[in-house]
Amino acid sequence: MFVCLCKGVTDREIREAVSDGARSWREVREQTGCSTQCGKCACVGKTIAQDAIAREVVPEADLAYAV
């Protein structure tokens, strides 16, 4: 899905930026260009980035201590 129409940034590209090491919304913006023109996509882009960062930092596969 396109998140930023101005720069043509998709949700997949935001997640890839996080996979490549971005750990903040600022780093995601710098890598993708998302929300650097009109800014209307900032809320959605930031939410996607925060979710991806949370999944990257705390992988879901490690549930051994949840029992």
Side-chain angles (χ1 to χ4, degrees):
M1 151 182 92
F2 279 98
V3 176
C4 178
L5 297 177
C6 296
K7 297 289 186 166
V9 179
T10 64
D11 60 325
R12 182 176 293 171
E13 290 174 301
I14 292 172
R15 289 187 183 95
E16 285 176 4
V18 172
S19 291
D20 291 342
R23 290 294 176 265
S24 69
W25 174 233
R26 174 180 277 175
E27 291 176 359
V28 170
R29 278 189 328 203
E30 289 171 355
Q31 288 184 25
T32 64
C34 186
S35 183
T36 58
Q37 196 158 1
C38 79
K40 290 182 181 179
C41 60
C43 288
V44 174
K46 190 173 188 177
T47 300
I48 293 169
Q50 288 174 336
D51 180 61
I53 291 166
R55 291 176 187 269
E56 194 78 20
V57 173
V58 182
E60 292 180 28
D62 187 30
L63 298 176
Y65 297 104
V67 180

